[in-house]
Amino acid sequence: MSLFHPHALSLRCSTSSISVSMDCGAKLTTNTHTNGLNFEGTKERIKKMFDHIELSISSYDTAWVAMVPSPNSPGNPCFPGCLQWLLENQLSDGSWGPPHRDPLLTKDSLSSTLACVLALRRWGVGVEQMTKGLQFIESHFGSISDENQHTPVGFDIVFSGMIEYAKDLNLNLLLRSTDVDAVFHKRDLELRSCHKESSKGMKAYLAYVSEGIGKHQDWGMVMKHQLKNGSLFNSPSTTAAALAHTQNAGCLYYLNALLEKFGNAVPTLYPFHLYPRLSMVETIESLGIGEHFRKEIASVLDETYRCWLQGEEEIFLDPATCALAFRILRVNGYDINSEPLTGFAEEHFFNSLGGYLKDLGAAVELLRASQMMIHPDEQVLEQQNSWTSHFLKQELSNSSMSADKLRKYTIQKVNDALEFPHYASLERLVHRRNIENYAVDNIRMLKTSYCSSSIGDKDLLRLAVEDFNACQSIYREELKQLERWVQENRLDKLKFARQKLAYCYFSAAATIFSPELSDARISWAKNGVLTTVVDDFFDVGGSEDELLNLIQLVEKHDVDVSIQCCSEQVEILFLALRSTISEIGEKAIAWQGRNVKTHVTEIWLDLLRSMLQEAQWLKNKSVPTVDEYMTNGYVSFALGPIILPALYLVGASLSEGVIKSPEYNLLFKLVSTCGRLLNDIHSFKRESMEGKLNAVSLHMIHGTSAVTEDINKEMKHLVHDRRRELLRLVLQENGSIIPRACKELFWKMSKVLHLFYLKDDGFSSHEMIDVVKAVIHEPIYLDVQ
């Protein structure tokens, strides 16, 4: 059965978001044209971003640094420049924090403003600024109880701690006692819960929010979390609070280094070097514009690999950074093992700060990293996949449909990670989803909100849209060319054959999407159409004489069709096959320097003979063994003519030795076996009713099991193993003789298979129309506001 047989597959696709950003500043419409953009100028601006990652300043953290007393003169600030910065950077409404803030960030503004007022009060300066700050706090204090507001990490502990500190400083907060009591009640409940659990994660969390606990804190416990750079959790506010209480030299060194770099104000997180660059690489690739930045991406990956080998804390202490680095490095062929991820197994994740904070983003990254399992002994990834899936499904079920914008993006990211695993994600569908849901002005939340220039940039969005639409115009022309080819070759005249051109071309355009790979897409699509038609011919359309006649004609190749074709059906099929084989052979000359017609002919003959074998088994009511069936069946699944000729047309040189190598044959066998097993699992009921045998029914006949569910489970496990081995071969650099660009085609086909078989057997034309439109016919129209 061909991959593109109408009953073989089903397709599930969604235009849902993968974005995790807070605010979508880009508006996507369907009735305007993309503005004329300076494509090269946009690329140059993006390239500069790799060298200079901007990180927003935190007035909250700057205030805590400003509160640190001088070790030599406790009556004076240790960092007077920070105090001066606070005096000069109050907003017009009396608050401190990001200008033009989202209305749902009022809690964040209250926290930052109170911290700044405390710093001014601590050193007895800025009476006017304090007055305006207090007025802001008093007028917006009702937001404290608003459940729709974004809540900074540790807010209940930190904010109540700051209210207590205000009392110590004789700072009069004109707040209703009932409101204040409610804040302290929430704080007490949280602290009680933390002390009751007493896990490593809880202790880390309590250390992280040390500034809110102040003089009641166990500072000996806190200092156990000090990093090599002198900081606590790379957090300036936590480190400043520790310095004020312990006079630790490492804390002082960290803050001095920070101010030397940033001037008189600090970010809420530092160092923040590897993660934003990795995120930028991830964003660029996920938007489909990675080809424009290969040099810059390679530089980031090399730097990350160096840091990985050196065991830098910035990677290995943060689950999101570690998982992202692991996945991107492994995908790009770097030889790394999964051992560092052991530190973020289920019990360790929830015993860490990130786990306690219910960091869904980190859990998603760990899930995606777990899908990069390529070795049987990587149990940590197997376990990671299991617990992250379970955890994220629980979080998804607990999510409210009325969630705010930030929460909705996070929920959608979780949903997409679960619904579209790496091995079932077609690149162009992923790119479109990401473009349509891309968010500029990205804001994230720790103890205060922050943003980075590496994420949420409008230039990235503009370039992605222009690139997507430019490629799409090429796809539309190629599809028109293929439609003419079908008519010219009279394939539409074959009454027995289903016409699935859009289906076949979609699978090519959605995966082999680069403009310069037109020859590979055309070959993939044409052979997809032909394998579908030939499969129908061997299945229902042709007599035994016609089947044998077609094989004989392909073997001879140069024949007089008017004499040697036994029917018009055979003539149509043979001429289409012969012309396509010849065309691919000639096109390959430009790519390979030689004609590959003989090899392409052999590929087709292997398929035709395997299909004939299945037809004879059915006619004679023969019952092959499972091994006999699979040996023939992985070939008859008809991926050979689709994948193998296309390998010659993607730019890499393939010698005779390479195409006859065990590695080449194993790649083909693995992807084809996955396809055959997936197809047989999903088509078992229908084929049983038609009297046809497949892997499931043969397992039952030959006594492996009499229970369909048990057999399906066993076969799915086989698919899992074959898929893992396929990914290992594709990613493996050492010892491989096949170019990566060629190996990628096997993995791309595997992803097509797994997406199409995500749900029950049966093809939905409505779903097909939707995805074809998304990839080929409907441009993305953008109005950046």
Side-chain angles (χ1 to χ4, degrees):
M1 177 178 288
S2 162
L3 165 63
F4 297 110
H5 189 283
H7 300 298
L9 308 173
S10 61
L11 181 63
R12 174 168 55 174
C13 182
S14 155
T15 56
S16 56
S17 164
I18 296 182
S19 174
V20 297
S21 303
M22 173 180 166
D23 187 28
C24 190
K27 179 183 179 184
L28 292 162
T29 63
T30 55
N31 55 6
T32 59
H33 291 287
T34 304
N35 297 327
L37 302 173
N38 183 339
F39 196 82
E40 291 303 317
T42 303
K43 282 169 57 177
E44 288 305 312
R45 288 194 297 274
I46 294 170
K47 287 180 180 180
K48 291 178 181 178
M49 290 168 56
F50 281 94
D51 298 323
H52 183 63
I53 300 292
E54 294 182 357
L55 186 61
S56 61
I57 289 299
S58 164
S59 55
Y60 172 82
D61 288 83
T62 301
W64 280 100
V65 175
M67 281 187 255
V68 176
S70 170
N72 301 319
S73 178
N76 295 304
C78 186
F79 306 106
C82 292
L83 192 63
Q84 186 61 36
W85 187 91
L86 298 181
L87 291 170
E88 295 173 355
N89 285 275
Q90 187 177 32
L91 301 178
S92 58
D93 64 355
S95 70
W96 277 268
H100 315 298
R101 66 172 176 272
D102 189 286
L104 293 178
L105 289 173
T106 304
K107 277 188 180 181
D108 181 34
S109 293
L110 285 169
S111 184
S112 295
T113 302
L114 183 52
C116 292
V117 169
L118 290 174
L120 298 180
R121 179 68 174 184
R122 172 74 174 81
W123 304 115
V125 298
V127 175
E128 181 182 345
Q129 288 92 337
M130 275 194 288
T131 301
K132 289 177 65 178
L134 290 172
Q135 289 173 348
F136 175 84
I137 294 170
E138 291 155 7
S139 61
H140 290 80
F141 198 76
S143 297
I144 293 290
S145 58
D146 185 352
E147 295 299 327
N148 292 319
Q149 283 283 324
H150 299 315
T151 303
V153 172
F155 179 82
D156 292 331
I157 293 174
V158 170
F159 197 78
S160 57
M162 288 194 293
I163 292 177
E164 284 187 334
Y165 190 32
K167 292 179 181 178
D168 292 343
L169 294 174
N170 295 317
L171 182 64
N172 188 21
L173 294 173
L174 298 178
L175 304 173
R176 292 188 304 179
S177 59
T178 52
D179 292 337
V180 174
D181 289 343
V183 171
F184 281 100
H185 178 67
K186 290 182 70 176
R187 187 272 305 269
D188 292 342
L189 287 176
E190 182 169 354
L191 286 175
R192 209 172 295 135
S193 174
C194 290
H195 290 304
K196 184 177 181 180
E197 184 173 327
S198 191
S199 66
K200 291 180 181 178
M202 243 13 133
K203 290 178 180 178
Y205 171 69
L206 290 174
Y208 179 61
V209 295
S210 286
E211 65 268 36
I213 300 175
K215 59 188 178 184
H216 306 295
Q217 180 62 283
D218 177 357
W219 290 101
M221 178 274 292
V222 172
M223 297 313 296
K224 291 178 181 178
H225 297 278
Q226 189 171 30
L227 304 180
K228 292 177 183 178
N229 62 15
S231 78
L232 280 306
F233 308 100
N234 292 324
S235 166
S237 55
T238 309
T239 308
L243 177 58
H245 284 84
T246 68
Q247 299 300 307
N248 179 271
C251 293
L252 180 61
Y253 172 82
Y254 169 77
L255 293 176
N256 275 323
L258 205 56
L259 292 169
E260 184 177 343
K261 179 175 181 63
F262 289 98
N264 292 327
V266 298
T268 195
L269 178 68
Y270 193 82
F272 193 61
H273 177 70
L274 285 174
Y275 184 78
R277 283 172 169 77
L278 285 169
S279 292
M280 191 169 175
V281 170
E282 167 70 7
T283 300
I284 284 172
E285 295 283 15
S286 72
L287 292 174
I289 52 177
E291 289 298 322
H292 300 294
F293 306 100
R294 283 290 156 235
K295 180 181 177 182
E296 291 76 16
I297 289 173
S299 177
V300 172
L301 296 182
D302 286 343
E303 179 189 12
T304 304
Y305 184 56
R306 175 184 59 78
C307 294
W308 183 282
L309 294 179
Q310 293 175 354
E312 291 199 8
E313 287 182 331
E314 190 179 351
I315 291 182
F316 296 114
L317 292 182
D318 178 60
T321 304
C322 187
L324 181 59
F326 172 80
R327 176 168 58 84
I328 292 180
L329 288 175
R330 179 162 278 191
V331 162
N332 285 278
Y334 290 81
D335 185 15
I336 58 173
N337 65 57
S338 56
E339 185 178 349
L341 291 172
T342 305
F344 305 111
E346 183 174 13
E347 67 275 12
H348 295 129
F349 181 80
F350 287 105
N351 274 330
S352 71
L353 179 61
Y356 177 71
L357 299 179
K358 289 292 183 77
D359 189 344
L360 296 185
V364 168
E365 288 297 351
L366 288 168
L367 172 63
R368 298 181 70 192
S370 73
Q371 295 168 0
M372 293 296 106
M373 182 173 61
I374 59 176
H375 300 297
D377 60 351
E378 292 186 310
Q379 286 90 359
V380 62
L381 297 184
E382 191 86 62
Q383 295 164 1
Q384 193 169 277
N385 185 275
S386 176
W387 77 257
T388 51
S389 297
H390 177 72
F391 169 67
L392 291 171
K393 286 174 183 176
Q394 278 189 323
E395 291 299 308
L396 206 59
S397 65
N398 295 333
S399 298
S400 168
M401 293 303 292
S402 60
D404 58 75
K405 197 178 295 184
L406 174 60
R407 182 68 176 171
K408 282 182 178 178
Y409 278 120
T410 305
I411 291 170
Q412 193 57 61
K413 179 184 179 182
V414 172
N415 184 71
D416 282 340
L418 292 170
E419 188 173 3
F420 298 103
H422 170 70
Y423 57 80
S425 296
L426 305 192
E427 286 93 330
R428 226 44 182 164
L429 292 175
V430 172
H431 298 160
R432 177 151 195 149
R433 284 200 304 271
N434 285 333
I435 291 170
E436 289 181 327
N437 296 282
Y438 184 77
V440 298
D441 300 324
N442 185 3
I443 293 181
R444 298 189 179 190
M445 185 74 78
L446 287 171
K447 284 186 284 192
T448 186
S449 61
Y450 71 99
C451 58
S452 169
S453 63
S454 64
I455 307 171
D457 183 78
K458 291 181 180 180
D459 280 334
L460 290 174
L461 184 57
R462 292 190 183 100
L463 186 68
V465 171
E466 185 169 342
D467 188 81
F468 187 94
N469 289 344
C471 290
Q472 202 177 56
S473 65
I474 295 172
Y475 303 157
R476 287 194 291 272
E477 289 303 313
E478 289 176 355
L479 184 56
K480 289 177 183 177
Q481 174 187 335
L482 288 165
E483 288 168 347
R484 291 193 296 271
W485 170 78
V486 168
Q487 294 173 353
E488 290 167 359
N489 283 272
R490 298 181 292 160
L491 295 173
D492 55 334
K493 304 299 182 184
L494 298 173
K495 302 300 182 183
F496 62 84
R498 305 289 184 96
Q499 302 302 316
K500 294 296 176 185
L501 172 60
Y503 198 60
C504 299
Y505 181 70
F506 158 77
S507 71
T511 52
I512 314 172
F513 58 87
S514 297
E516 66 273 14
L517 298 181
S518 177
D519 286 347
R521 282 192 297 276
I522 295 295
S523 168
W524 181 293
K526 284 185 176 180
N527 283 311
V529 170
L530 289 173
T531 56
T532 304
V533 175
V534 167
D535 181 68
D536 288 343
F537 183 60
F538 275 74
D539 197 18
V540 296
S543 65
E544 185 173 9
D545 287 341
E546 287 177 311
L547 305 186
L548 292 170
N549 184 219
L550 178 61
I551 294 174
Q552 291 165 358
L553 292 171
V554 175
E555 288 173 337
K556 295 177 182 178
H557 194 76
D558 294 320
V559 297
D560 185 341
V561 294
S562 63
I563 298 174
Q564 298 195 35
C565 291
C566 68
S567 69
E568 184 182 14
Q569 290 187 147
V570 172
E571 179 182 329
I572 291 173
L573 278 173
F574 172 67
L575 289 176
L577 282 172
R578 186 172 70 177
S579 66
T580 301
I581 291 170
S582 297
E583 177 190 329
I584 292 170
E586 291 167 4
K587 280 185 176 180
I589 295 174
W591 296 86
Q592 301 293 326
R594 61 190 175 91
N595 194 311
V596 298
K597 184 174 71 174
T598 299
H599 183 223
V600 179
T601 302
E602 291 172 356
I603 293 167
W604 264 106
L605 284 171
D606 286 342
L607 173 62
L608 296 175
R609 290 164 184 156
S610 68
M611 288 182 167
L612 178 64
Q613 177 67 77
E614 288 188 349
Q616 290 174 340
W617 279 338
L618 182 62
K619 176 188 174 185
N620 300 328
K621 299 189 184 317
S622 301
V623 181
T625 66
V626 173
D627 285 344
E628 288 172 337
Y629 172 81
M630 289 304 300
T631 299
N632 186 77
Y634 84 83
V635 179
S636 69
F637 191 63
L639 297 185
I642 302 172
I643 302 175
L644 302 182
L647 299 178
Y648 288 118
L649 306 172
V650 293
S653 177
L654 289 176
S655 67
E656 289 282 347
V658 169
I659 64 172
K660 292 180 179 179
S661 68
E663 182 184 6
Y664 175 96
N665 291 320
L666 182 55
L667 284 163
F668 174 59
K669 185 173 184 179
L670 288 169
V671 67
S672 296
T673 300
C674 283
R676 169 55 65 197
L677 292 173
L678 287 168
N679 174 79
D680 287 7
I681 291 169
H682 289 279
S683 63
F684 165 68
K685 291 182 180 179
R686 176 181 53 78
E687 292 192 333
S688 294
M689 293 174 63
E690 295 172 357
K692 298 177 181 178
L693 298 173
N694 71 17
V696 177
S697 53
L698 287 172
H699 273 88
M700 298 178 73
I701 290 171
H702 292 297
T704 302
S705 175
V707 182
T708 306
E709 290 75 13
D710 292 342
I711 295 173
N712 285 347
K713 184 177 180 180
E714 179 184 342
M715 289 174 60
K716 287 177 182 178
H717 183 71
L718 289 173
V719 171
H720 175 274
D721 289 345
R722 302 299 184 274
R723 183 180 70 232
R724 182 187 61 208
E725 176 66 5
L726 176 64
L727 182 59
R728 184 188 68 79
L729 288 176
V730 170
L731 299 183
Q732 179 177 294
E733 298 286 344
N734 295 335
S736 175
I737 65 172
I738 300 178
R740 177 67 181 267
C742 296
K743 292 194 290 185
E744 285 285 352
L745 290 194
F746 293 97
W747 183 246
K748 289 177 187 295
M749 177 56 83
S750 177
K751 293 205 284 188
V752 170
L753 294 168
H754 281 85
L755 177 66
F756 287 173
Y757 285 115
L758 274 178
K759 63 178 183 180
D760 293 337
D761 183 35
F763 172 66
S764 164
S765 60
H766 176 72
E767 289 173 322
M768 185 65 226
I769 290 170
D770 286 345
V771 295
V772 169
K773 285 180 179 178
V775 171
I776 302 171
H777 294 298
E778 295 179 346
I780 302 174
Y781 297 106
L782 174 68
D783 176 22
V784 180
Q785 296 180 336

